[in-house]
Amino acid sequence: MALSATVDGEGTVRTYAPNGQELVALGTNDNGGLIYVYNKTGEFIAEMRADEYGNGVVGAYNRKGIGRTLKPGP
């Protein structure tokens, strides 16, 4: 596990597998909070974050990066 912050005050919490591979990143960016999830081999597979308009974005992807993103709206 790692706790860190940038010079701009954006913080992160990261968790790792025993082999050192990052599994979860919880943090912030200019739009708000975010969560990124990686599988055991390091591929990005899921996200939950705020977009530039303050709306929620949820995405799920296969290990090759192919997937879908759900955004609010009609």
Side-chain angles (χ1 to χ4, degrees):
M1 176 184 218
L3 301 171
S4 63
T6 67
V7 294
D8 296 328
E10 296 174 351
T12 63
V13 176
R14 296 175 189 271
T15 62
Y16 298 88
N19 67 1
Q21 181 63 52
E22 183 176 16
L23 297 176
V24 177
L26 170 67
T28 63
N29 63 19
D30 290 341
N31 300 323
L34 55 86
I35 300 172
Y36 294 145
V37 180
Y38 304 88
N39 66 16
K40 66 181 180 180
T41 56
E43 288 100 7
F44 175 66
I45 57 166
E47 68 178 318
M48 189 165 44
R49 61 180 173 80
D51 69 10
E52 61 272 14
Y53 304 107
N55 300 313
V57 177
V58 177
Y61 314 94
N62 68 17
R63 61 185 180 84
K64 295 181 180 181
I66 300 169
R68 296 186 184 207
T69 303
L70 174 64
K71 295 182 180 185

